[in-house]
Amino acid sequence: MVGTRPPDRQRLRDRRGECAALDRLLATVHEGRSGVLVLRGEAGIGKTALLDYAVETASGCRFARVTGVESEMELTYAGLHRLCGPEMLDRLDRLPGPQRDALGSAFGLTAGAAPDRFLVGLAVLSLLADVAQEQPLLCVVEDAQWLDHASAQALAIAARRLYAESVCMLFAIREPCAASQFEGLPEVRVEGLPDRHARELLASATPGELDARVRDRIVAETQGNPLALLELPRGLEPAELAAGFGVPGMPAVPHRIEESFTRRVGQLPAATRLLLLVAAAEPTGEAQLVWRAAARLGVGVDAVAPAQADGLLELGARMAFRHPLVRSAVYGAASPEQRRTVHGALADAIDPGLDPQRRAWHRAHAAPGPDEAVADELEGAADGAQGRGSLVAAATLLERAVALTPDPARRAERVLTAAHAHLDAGSTAAASRLLDAADLGRLDELGLAQLERMRARIAFVAGRGRDAPPLLLSAARRLETLDVPLARETYLEALDAAIFAGSLASGRGALEVAEAARAAPPAPGPPQASDLLLDGLAALWTEGYAAGVPTLKRALDACLHGDDLRWIQTALRTARELWDHEAWLTLATRAVQLARDTGALTVLPLALTHLAGATVLTGDLAATAALIEEARSITTATGSPPISYAEVYLAAWRGLEAEHARLAEEIQGDAEARGEGWAITISEYSSAILHNGLGKHRIALAAAQRARATGETLAWVIPELVEAAARSGRPELAHPSLQRLSELARCSGTELALGLRACSLALVAEGGDAEDLFREALDRLSRTRATAHLARARLLYGEWLRGARRRLDAREQLRTAHEMFLSMGVNAFANRAARGLLATGERVPRPRVETPSRLTAQEAQIARLANEGLSNQEIGARLFLSPRTVEYHLHKVFTKLGIGSRTELGNVLPGVVANGAETERRRP
């Protein structure tokens, strides 16, 4: 925790609104809640003064403060490390194991695999919350636009999940700024002072009287910028100010302020200027390091006095410039040779065993031209950055290594490595820019093939649609004679991309890729899970289910017993398409657990979405909603795009027509723009479920037909199409699909597949054959965990019995179906069963609603996890919340449910049925 000087009250003229916002925020923190605010504005507009005001008035608070430095943006977690400091880092042992390891690895305190950057953000949240348990905490981040990417992302994640931790986070961002990590957080735009207050501030900084016209011109041209009003007139006489600041061609106000600081620095002794340059070149401002480097340049400790006397530099454990523009002015005024000399001295002053990344960074800035030794050192530093989880820093260091590589062939190789790092960091634009600007003519054949693959992967990551499959296919073909394992991986990527693009893929899509993959060389060694997936999917697409299913079952078994998450989405889709609900559930559960254990939060939302989809069929819609909420909490915290597939699927089963329509419209609009045919298929399939439940079978039939047209392999839609066709009086439309369904069910061999086949055949059969098929369906489905489909089979059987005028038998099936649907919260199908019961002459009592508990989705999720025995810390780790926030929500849960402890949750939760954003406790 570091201190700061009291705020300059003159700079707070007419800042009542901003100060009031800060006062409210600090009051909230003292009440036990958290708050976040982003101050945006141009340089010198008063953001620093407002931050100083917050620190000065935050009585009873501990605080930490850090300033982003533009030159530090390449150094992994440098800003975050400085903010946390020794006092916070001493608390690492109090964090949950995965979080402790992630943060320790990020800061280079412990050895280990590269931490997931989102897990680091969660660890920061836990660390801040732990500090705030003893005393409210104020975190101040100035010039946040210049934080290194990893630090900015971690702090933004923590800021988005603050709630009841007594933590206040303030960020100041200089505009204009392209950084997006802090978008969406509460913000205040700091504008220039009104004319009256600007005139007062100008008068306080100007000796003598100014002509009113000159004064008004200066106020207008500085646009009320407080630092400009204070700094620009410094040392000038009224006569020198007579022209105001309106000289044609003059730079913008921030640049003029920087020029003012440059003039002030230029009047200092040479030794002082050199010391300031050393301090400006070292982003951390660590005083001991600056002094060691200065000593190597022959600068003594007495050189600091003139800078302190002029108010440009503050000396403590760190050397802090009065304003970030002072640093910019000092560094900008130095010649290239002076900068190289200073960076060289700093590199020599750093122990390479303690901070190799920073030393390599300084050596790179000290290099006068290409230097292979420095490029090698940068490459090693990039490996270290990647090992600490900062892919952005690694990519930046590698790109700098490219510039310093003298050999053209080696430089071309490093271009590929750097572009790959940019792609892994999610920056397709940076990867493309690097590839487009580089001379890659020296690459060998393998390098050129890898280049083609990289361009294809960039297209897939950037668009995820129709353009990627043919590009990946071309790269895979080129790699066949050069690197068989990589070629096979690329074929699987191409096939995955083609299936994802669906009907929107270019060319013949998945079939074309599958034909090429079938002709590719076999795996050179024992087949891995990815090899089995490729061979099985290629056979399925080219020769049919019978040819592909045996290999795909082996692939699923390999995935179930492996720890590789790279192909998890492909495996999960395969399990679903094989009608293997048990494998789908088990594999999704394992994927979720692996992602949680390893902190793979880029994979976890997708795994949770698949698990939610599989859980819907078990009939536990409350658990499904909880999984969706957990996935949403991660994407919200990380700023990732939301994944809506499970949401639209759940809305369909619940019969929420308006919500489904909204979600489907969003999904289809995005999917068409990106060429993601798979998303459109899922949307249409869920629409068929929804409208079959609502009894709108003609609409369901049209949706099912569209789903079949867009998704050749989506077998799950066939039962929806058959039911809709039969109930619409168009059974002839079901027959082609029934033939396909029978083939798939025989190949799959699962009880679920055979049960759905029997039920679908029963819908178009006649007489005793229909009843035998319905009974077979009930028998097979009762041996699965697909409770939702079992209930639907009972509903369809009951409707058939009613049509056969067997009222008593019909009532038994319809009553059971009705009770099952009600217990699951599948309301549309429940209403359909109720209508059938009424038609048999049986009175259906309306469910009696007892005291609505009105739990939010997040409260319901926390309550379920607490009932499962998870501690507050474990719940927080899963939901991206601090233990204190979990405790706060649990208290609200207890109040709403009328209970007093966790032990009573089990008595009320089984009767809590999730319904949209709320839950209700019901009894039949």
Side-chain angles (χ1 to χ4, degrees):
M1 308 294 173
V2 295
T4 186
R5 65 184 186 287
D8 183 345
R9 297 293 176 183
Q10 286 187 320
R11 298 187 185 188
L12 294 177
R13 284 183 171 85
D14 196 53
R15 296 298 190 200
R16 290 187 298 273
E18 292 90 340
C19 290
L22 293 170
D23 290 341
R24 289 192 298 271
L25 206 61
L26 293 170
T28 298
V29 170
H30 282 292
E31 293 167 1
R33 299 282 291 279
S34 295
V36 179
L37 189 64
V38 178
L39 301 175
R40 293 184 179 271
E42 68 175 7
I45 204 66
K47 302 184 299 297
T48 300
L50 288 167
L51 296 179
D52 289 344
Y53 170 83
V55 171
E56 177 69 13
T57 57
S59 60
C61 289
R62 303 176 67 170
F63 64 92
R65 188 167 187 168
V66 70
T67 299
V69 181
E70 187 173 15
S71 57
E72 191 182 48
M73 295 176 73
E74 301 169 8
L75 299 177
T76 317
Y77 291 114
L80 182 62
H81 201 177
R82 288 193 286 122
L83 179 72
C84 293
E87 293 184 35
M88 285 196 197
L89 296 182
D90 286 345
R91 299 169 176 265
L92 277 183
D93 288 343
R94 300 165 68 164
L95 300 184
Q99 295 179 32
R100 179 186 63 242
D101 295 342
L103 203 55
S105 178
F107 289 160
L109 302 176
T110 58
D116 186 286
R117 59 193 185 276
F118 300 139
L119 189 61
V120 173
L122 178 56
V124 172
L125 172 65
S126 297
L127 191 62
L128 299 181
D130 186 72
V131 172
Q133 282 188 334
E134 300 171 2
Q135 189 177 5
L137 174 64
L138 171 61
C139 290
V140 176
V141 183
E142 189 169 4
D143 272 339
Q145 78 281 351
W146 284 341
L147 285 174
D148 62 278
H149 185 274
S151 294
Q153 188 175 55
L155 290 171
I157 288 170
R160 288 190 177 95
R161 302 307 285 176
L162 288 169
Y163 192 76
E165 297 83 5
S166 292
V167 175
C168 177
M169 297 187 76
L170 299 178
F171 300 94
I173 294 179
R174 183 187 300 186
E175 297 286 7
C177 171
S180 60
Q181 290 94 334
F182 303 101
E183 292 293 335
L185 294 175
E187 65 178 46
V188 167
R189 295 199 172 264
V190 184
E191 307 289 350
L193 296 174
D195 287 355
R196 179 172 68 85
H197 296 285
R199 288 194 293 269
E200 292 174 359
L201 189 60
L202 177 62
S204 72
T206 308
E209 291 291 330
L210 276 178
D211 179 84
R213 290 170 297 176
V214 173
R215 178 200 63 202
D216 290 345
R217 184 175 179 181
I218 292 172
V219 167
E221 291 174 356
T222 58
Q223 297 180 341
N225 185 299
L227 188 58
L229 292 165
L230 287 169
E231 288 296 329
L232 298 186
R234 183 184 288 269
L236 300 179
E237 297 296 329
E240 296 177 271
L241 294 171
F245 297 100
V247 179
M250 286 288 286
V253 169
H255 293 287
R256 288 184 247 171
I257 300 172
E258 191 171 315
E259 289 174 357
S260 172
F261 284 130
T262 301
R263 288 196 300 270
R264 290 173 62 182
V265 170
Q267 297 169 4
L268 297 173
T272 303
R273 295 199 303 272
L274 186 55
L275 177 65
L276 288 177
L277 181 57
V278 176
E282 171 43 48
T284 66
E286 183 186 336
Q288 292 301 318
L289 174 58
V290 172
W291 284 124
R292 288 198 304 272
R296 291 174 181 272
L297 299 172
V299 176
V301 295
D302 56 341
V304 75
Q308 285 181 295
D310 199 28
L312 294 173
L313 191 69
E314 296 174 359
L315 186 59
R318 300 186 185 278
M319 291 188 176
F321 288 95
R322 175 195 171 184
H323 192 277
L325 287 176
V326 178
R327 178 190 293 273
S328 301
V330 170
Y331 197 80
S335 68
E337 178 60 33
Q338 289 172 322
R339 294 178 192 168
R340 287 196 294 270
T341 299
V342 164
H343 281 293
L346 284 164
D348 292 340
I350 295 173
D351 185 338
L354 296 178
D355 199 345
Q357 185 180 340
R358 189 178 298 276
R359 182 176 185 275
W361 181 84
H362 278 301
R363 285 198 69 196
H365 282 278
D371 187 320
E372 181 59 28
V374 178
D376 275 340
E377 193 169 340
L378 284 166
E379 200 166 35
D383 288 341
Q386 193 162 9
R388 291 164 60 187
S390 180
L391 298 175
V392 173
T396 306
L397 290 166
L398 286 168
E399 188 168 350
R400 188 173 290 277
V402 168
L404 292 176
T405 303
D407 179 63
R410 185 76 181 98
R411 185 164 59 247
E413 293 173 2
R414 282 187 169 135
V415 166
L416 285 184
T417 305
H420 191 280
H422 276 305
L423 184 59
D424 285 346
S427 179
T428 55
S432 295
R433 170 185 51 76
L434 186 58
L435 293 178
D436 291 341
D439 176 13
L440 299 173
R442 301 299 184 96
L443 288 173
D444 60 15
E445 278 302 310
L446 179 58
L448 290 171
Q450 290 172 331
L451 171 63
E452 185 174 354
R453 177 175 184 259
M454 189 172 302
R455 291 193 186 279
R457 292 186 65 213
I458 290 171
F460 182 59
V461 173
R464 293 186 65 86
R466 58 180 64 87
D467 297 329
L471 295 175
L472 286 165
L473 176 58
S474 175
R477 284 171 167 155
R478 189 170 188 172
L479 282 163
E480 278 188 15
T481 59
L482 302 168
D483 187 329
V484 171
L486 186 58
R488 290 180 61 83
E489 283 194 9
T490 310
Y491 271 121
L492 185 53
E493 289 173 339
L495 188 52
D496 210 29
I499 293 172
F500 200 81
S503 61
L504 300 181
S506 301
R508 290 187 295 150
L511 179 58
E512 181 180 5
V513 177
E515 288 172 343
R518 289 283 280 171
Q528 305 299 308
S530 59
D531 294 310
L532 295 169
L533 282 169
L534 176 62
D535 292 339
L537 287 171
L540 184 148
W541 276 90
T542 57
E543 298 183 32
Y545 263 68
V549 167
T551 304
L552 288 174
K553 287 186 175 182
R554 290 173 58 206
L556 293 181
D557 186 64
C559 290
L560 283 168
H561 294 90
D563 295 335
D564 190 351
L565 290 171
R566 285 186 305 162
W567 308 106
I568 191 64
Q569 287 190 75
T570 308
L572 285 167
R573 284 203 298 268
T574 299
R576 183 176 56 202
E577 288 310 302
L578 295 187
W579 302 82
D580 195 339
H581 183 236
E582 195 62 35
W584 187 17
L585 267 174
T586 305
L587 187 57
T589 302
R590 178 168 173 73
V592 167
Q593 191 60 52
L594 278 173
R596 284 177 181 151
D597 291 345
T598 59
L601 298 183
T602 50
V603 176
L604 184 52
L606 291 167
L608 286 166
T609 298
H610 274 283
L611 183 55
T615 302
V616 165
L617 299 186
T618 69
D620 193 347
L621 300 196
T624 302
L627 291 165
I628 292 171
E629 176 61 25
E630 183 177 350
R632 186 188 294 118
S633 72
I634 296 170
T635 55
T636 299
T638 59
S640 305
I643 304 171
S644 303
Y645 302 152
E647 285 189 73
V648 75
Y649 191 43
L650 178 60
W653 276 96
R654 281 177 165 166
L656 303 176
E657 196 167 7
E659 182 178 347
H660 181 276
R662 177 183 62 80
L663 291 167
E665 183 178 3
E666 291 176 1
I667 288 173
Q668 295 207 20
D670 292 342
E672 288 173 359
R674 295 192 300 265
E676 296 178 6
W678 177 260
I680 297 174
T681 302
I682 292 293
S683 176
E684 296 290 7
Y685 165 51
S686 66
S687 180
I689 295 172
L690 169 73
H691 291 101
N692 271 331
L694 294 171
K696 300 179 180 180
H697 298 296
R698 291 182 183 275
I699 300 176
L701 176 59
Q705 288 175 318
R706 289 193 298 270
R708 285 289 289 150
T710 59
E712 296 178 42
T713 63
L714 189 65
W716 288 88
V717 77
I718 298 178
E720 302 301 332
L721 189 152
V722 173
E723 179 178 337
R727 289 291 184 263
S728 300
R730 302 290 305 278
E732 72 280 2
L733 297 177
H735 289 300
S737 293
L738 278 170
Q739 293 176 3
R740 176 74 163 161
L741 177 59
S742 294
E743 176 196 354
L744 303 185
R746 282 195 303 270
C747 295
S748 170
T750 65
E751 293 291 347
L752 175 60
L754 294 169
L756 290 177
R757 169 189 173 275
C759 191
S760 297
L761 288 172
L763 287 170
V764 296
E766 297 180 358
D769 289 342
E771 183 159 19
D772 290 342
L773 286 165
F774 275 126
R775 290 189 175 278
E776 178 189 347
L778 294 178
D779 179 57
R780 291 187 180 280
L781 293 174
S782 66
R783 293 198 289 267
T784 73
R785 286 198 277 173
T787 308
H789 279 303
L790 175 61
R792 287 186 66 176
R794 290 194 179 278
L795 169 64
L796 292 170
Y797 185 27
E799 290 175 339
W800 180 87
L801 288 167
R802 181 170 61 83
R805 302 182 185 278
R806 292 165 56 182
R807 290 190 176 187
L808 292 179
D809 293 335
R811 286 175 186 173
E812 179 184 352
Q813 295 299 329
L814 292 170
R815 187 185 306 114
T816 303
H818 183 250
E819 291 170 354
M820 292 175 71
F821 287 134
L822 280 182
S823 69
M824 291 185 281
V826 180
N827 296 328
F829 282 102
N831 291 336
R832 183 172 148 190
R835 290 195 297 271
L837 278 172
L838 288 171
T840 67
E842 179 165 320
R843 183 172 175 272
V844 183
R846 294 180 61 85
R848 184 157 53 94
V849 179
E850 292 187 351
T851 316
S853 58
R854 296 190 178 276
L855 296 186
T856 65
Q858 187 173 73
E859 289 167 353
Q861 169 73 324
I862 289 172
R864 289 179 63 88
L865 294 175
N867 188 48
E868 291 174 12
L870 275 68
S871 67
N872 286 359
Q873 191 178 64
E874 291 168 332
I875 296 172
R878 184 171 294 190
L879 300 184
F880 261 69
L881 300 170
S882 75
R884 189 167 175 177
T885 292
V886 173
E887 181 181 2
Y888 173 85
H889 284 303
L890 271 178
H891 178 74
K892 293 177 67 177
V893 168
F894 293 163
T895 300
K896 290 180 178 182
L897 297 181
I899 60 176
S901 69
R902 287 169 175 254
T903 57
E904 298 177 72
L905 282 170
N907 298 327
V908 294
L909 283 182
V912 175
V913 179
N915 186 9
E918 299 178 350
T919 62
E920 292 182 347
R921 200 158 22 123
R922 295 179 174 176
R923 287 182 183 172

